[in-house]
Amino acid sequence: MNGKHPTPPDAGFTPDQWLARTHEVTNQPPALENYNLFRQDRALQEAVDREGANWARSELDTYGELVGRSDIIELGFQANDNKPSFHTHDRFGHRIDEVRFHPAYHELMAMAMEHGLHSSPWQKPGPGAHVARAARYYLHTQVEASHGCPITMTFAAMPSIMKQPDLAETWAPKILDCSYDSRNLPDSEKQSVTIGMAMTEKQGGSDVRANSTRAIPTGREGPGQAYELVGHKWFVSAPMCDAFLVLAQAPGGLSCFLMPRWCPDGSKNPWQIQRLKNKMGNVANASSEAELRGALGWMVGEEGRGVPTIIEMVAMTRFDCMIGSSSGMRQAAAQALHHCHHRSAFGARLSEQPLMQNVLADLALENEAAMTYSLRVARALDAGNDEQEKLFLRLATPVGKYWICKRTPNHAYEAMECIGGSGVMEDCIMPRLFRESPVNAIWEGSGNVQCLDTLRALQKSPESLDAFLGEVNLARGSDRRLDGFVDRLTTDFGAAISNPDRIAFQARDLVDRLAVSLQASLLIRHAPAAVADAFCASRIDSQGIHNIGALPVGVDAKTIIQRATPHV
């Protein structure tokens, strides 16, 4: 000490400069970037191998490296920091109905389409095709989820469009093309197109049979023929798609139509965007309200069979909701695990403190169970004409969409809380994950709609329950907790199924338990013992009711955390 200032430790600084250095930043984690999302996800690697897509491992490894790059991660932030803007007219007064996006959005769209996220199982069907595509989508949407909406709709539209061969001949090659063309031009001038859908209206919402939009024949009637569509649509997501599958009331009842953005003569099809939705999440993607003022649409499928025609598209979008929510869980868990691995408090690393271990292990469990369920559904999609797999899918799709998507918001919040105050800041990905988390639970049919759809499946195809429980019971005898859980569930279904009011009132409880039973069965058969035991101890013993961070004493949290933590 010299009486005025302490001796500076660095001779390169004057005493006054040294005093101006208020602190050194320590005990902060490095950014979770420049890592391989596939290689750092053991549960996903195992699922890919198990469900039939081992042949895609090299491609997925390359893609995991790509989406983990800092510049690709930054695209997600840029796309969400710059909302789409709507322009009704050009400067000369011509109606254009154009939505403009930040360049980062277009880069993400191009990346997705160049890698076949909208088309690969249709281009090259076969064992593991849907599994490989689901795994790639799972990796991709961890970077940015909202542009997945037009990618999913384009992917999901193919089964419905193929029901109308004359339209498919023109549109399918452009849907399957692995290039991206964002220009607002007639489809005749483009090599590739994207497809959206517009079903719901103000008065009905999910009750599409209440739709009032009219379809008026312009000449000959029936499948493949042209109609004028007059009415409105309450939700048109990704309104810059090149065409949309639309439901409207034809003379013979509610029917499905393909409505292009432009008419074949190059004129603008007369449907007009009224405004963009001001959404809490899914910000980078535009959603809109539209009015149809005699818009051209070609009938797809049989007249009066609009819902059965479009339902295959809906089933595929619900499948992607499962993958997308599982993906959001993985990114949230990865962020929390990474943060707590690198940060210390109260004299110890956060990931080594018992209560935090409980939370982190539980976040990892929830994510692995969701992803494992989703990829099992992907394998069923790959099974093609296998009748048992079709029956399994009929229940597994609404059950999984309901459960996985509904579990995501609380999962996102708990992961955010692990990070603390900095996890609430907009320069962290967590606020975006949290805002995105309710979207999939509500879109493509909310929770009650999924539960009621499950009941309809049971009514129309009672054998679908046998197929679902048959898959669950492949684990019978491996864990007494699951055996008892399934026995009680089967008894409760038997008591409720003959009473429509009772089973409707109990639908959520029954569907909850269906979902948990399948997740438990899959984990018992395929996951490490620590994962399966913790899941059964926390979800099965508690009859499916469980809050994150309430794992019982005795679970091997350390092993679960080590398995799930990404290392950068």
Side-chain angles (χ1 to χ4, degrees):
M1 301 290 287
N2 60 16
K4 280 192 173 181
H5 302 289
T7 303
D10 188 338
F13 287 87
T14 67
D16 286 340
Q17 288 174 324
W18 181 63
L19 286 175
R21 297 175 67 192
T22 62
H23 68 289
E24 181 182 356
V25 177
T26 62
N27 195 29
Q28 288 289 341
L32 184 55
E33 59 188 22
N34 297 318
Y35 73 112
N36 189 315
L37 272 68
F38 182 69
R39 202 175 299 169
Q40 295 290 336
D41 191 339
R42 277 189 279 174
L44 177 62
Q45 293 173 45
E46 292 166 10
V48 165
D49 290 347
R50 179 176 65 249
E51 304 300 355
N54 177 266
W55 53 265
R57 279 198 67 147
S58 178
E59 299 171 17
L60 291 169
D61 187 78
T62 300
Y63 203 69
E65 189 75 25
L66 174 64
V67 294
R69 281 175 14 197
S70 59
D71 59 320
I72 301 299
I73 292 170
E74 177 61 22
L75 294 176
F77 283 92
Q78 292 176 4
N80 282 274
D81 287 344
N82 299 273
K83 285 185 176 184
S85 60
F86 173 45
H87 302 265
T88 56
H89 297 77
D90 67 14
R91 65 193 181 97
F92 303 105
H94 303 117
R95 182 90 193 196
I96 57 173
D97 287 292
E98 186 170 65
V99 180
R100 295 173 188 164
F101 299 86
H102 188 270
Y105 174 90
H106 293 303
E107 287 190 57
L108 290 165
M109 285 289 295
M111 192 169 128
M113 295 187 72
E114 287 166 5
H115 288 87
L117 294 185
H118 68 300
S119 63
S120 57
W122 315 131
Q123 290 176 312
K124 297 179 180 179
H130 279 285
V131 174
R133 184 258 173 192
R136 192 177 290 114
Y137 191 93
Y138 180 83
L139 296 170
H140 183 90
T141 51
Q142 289 183 53
V143 173
E144 203 290 312
S146 58
H147 76 284
C149 178
I151 296 298
T152 285
M153 291 191 295
T154 303
F155 164 69
M158 275 296 291
S160 295
I161 288 176
M162 293 304 291
K163 291 178 179 291
Q164 196 58 48
D166 51 340
L167 291 176
E169 184 177 355
T170 300
W171 287 89
K174 296 186 178 188
I175 293 171
L176 297 178
D177 191 90
C178 288
S179 62
Y180 173 59
D181 190 340
S182 64
R183 296 175 299 165
N184 188 14
L185 293 174
D187 57 270
S188 60
E189 299 178 33
K190 302 175 77 168
Q191 181 175 326
S192 67
V193 297
T194 54
I195 306 294
M197 63 178 172
M199 295 195 297
T200 60
E201 298 180 6
K202 295 183 179 76
Q203 72 279 358
S206 295
D207 183 8
V208 294
R209 296 189 186 279
N211 282 9
S212 62
T213 296
R214 292 171 289 135
I216 304 157
T218 61
R220 292 178 57 192
E221 301 183 30
Q225 300 303 315
Y227 287 71
E228 287 188 354
L229 308 179
V230 180
H232 79 281
K233 293 297 169 183
W234 187 226
F235 275 92
V236 182
S237 281
M240 290 307 292
C241 286
D242 297 285
F244 301 82
L245 285 172
V246 177
L247 291 177
Q249 299 287 357
L254 189 67
S255 305
C256 181
F257 297 86
L258 182 67
M259 180 182 75
R261 167 169 285 281
W262 296 82
C263 293
D265 62 5
S267 63
K268 186 183 177 300
N269 201 9
W271 66 272
Q272 297 178 352
I273 299 171
Q274 301 303 297
R275 62 174 178 173
L276 298 187
K277 300 285 194 180
N278 187 18
K279 300 175 290 183
M280 67 168 278
N282 204 252
V283 172
N285 172 50
S287 298
S288 67
E289 300 166 22
E291 291 186 352
L292 286 54
R293 302 175 181 271
L296 166 68
W298 298 286
M299 184 178 286
V300 179
E302 297 178 33
E303 184 170 4
R305 299 278 297 167
V307 172
T309 299
I310 207 170
I311 199 67
E312 288 190 52
M313 180 179 187
V314 174
M316 297 307 298
T317 59
R318 288 174 177 176
F319 169 59
D320 267 16
C321 285
M322 273 188 266
I323 306 169
S325 290
S326 301
S327 168
M329 284 190 194
R330 172 56 188 168
Q331 183 57 212
Q335 291 288 336
L337 288 159
H338 172 76
H339 176 90
C340 293
H341 177 73
H342 288 279
R343 187 163 173 82
S344 298
F346 310 111
R349 186 177 292 186
L350 286 174
S351 60
E352 296 173 354
Q353 297 184 26
L355 184 53
M356 183 60 82
Q357 287 181 332
N358 194 315
V359 176
L360 293 174
D362 218 355
L363 291 171
L365 276 180
E366 192 73 33
N367 167 232
E368 182 164 348
M371 181 276 298
T372 300
Y373 187 114
S374 298
L375 262 65
R376 174 61 185 92
V377 172
R379 175 158 64 89
L381 289 168
D382 281 325
N385 295 320
D386 185 297
E387 289 303 320
Q388 281 300 110
E389 291 290 81
K390 283 184 177 180
L391 289 168
F392 168 73
L393 271 175
R394 187 61 189 91
L395 277 197
T397 301
V399 169
K401 197 275 186 187
Y402 162 79
W403 180 251
I404 293 169
C405 298
K406 188 165 289 296
R407 297 288 288 180
T408 304
N410 190 57
H411 186 277
Y413 164 72
E414 290 287 358
M416 180 185 287
E417 188 174 289
C418 290
I419 297 172
S422 63
V424 185
M425 301 302 110
E426 290 292 347
D427 51 3
C428 173
I429 197 174
M430 287 308 309
R432 177 163 27 116
L433 293 177
F434 184 63
R435 287 195 299 270
E436 193 75 28
S437 64
V439 171
N440 286 333
I442 295 170
W443 286 4
E444 309 308 325
S446 60
N448 282 0
V449 170
Q450 301 307 310
C451 290
L452 294 174
D453 190 39
T454 301
L455 299 189
R456 277 192 294 273
L458 292 172
Q459 184 180 28
K460 292 182 178 180
S461 304
E463 61 272 30
S464 61
L465 182 60
D466 294 333
F468 189 96
L469 292 178
E471 176 71 21
V472 171
N473 281 323
L474 291 176
R476 181 161 286 275
S478 300
D479 191 294
R480 58 172 181 76
R481 295 167 296 191
L482 178 60
D483 292 348
F485 185 86
V486 175
D487 289 342
R488 290 188 293 274
L489 176 60
T490 304
T491 298
D492 289 348
F493 258 110
I497 207 160
S498 60
N499 186 329
D501 290 338
R502 176 176 172 177
I503 197 169
F505 191 78
Q506 286 185 279
R508 284 202 177 204
D509 171 62
L510 294 169
V511 174
D512 286 355
R513 289 190 279 160
L514 282 173
V516 171
S517 67
L518 181 55
Q519 288 181 324
S521 174
L522 290 167
L523 294 178
I524 287 168
R525 286 180 278 147
H526 305 304
V531 172
D533 178 67
F535 189 88
C536 289
S538 56
R539 275 74 169 173
I540 298 299
D541 272 357
S542 64
Q543 295 300 300
I545 301 168
H546 177 73
N547 295 317
I548 296 292
L551 296 176
V553 173
V555 305
D556 188 354
K558 289 182 181 180
T559 296
I560 297 167
I561 291 169
Q562 288 170 359
R563 173 177 171 80
T565 301
H567 296 285
V568 179

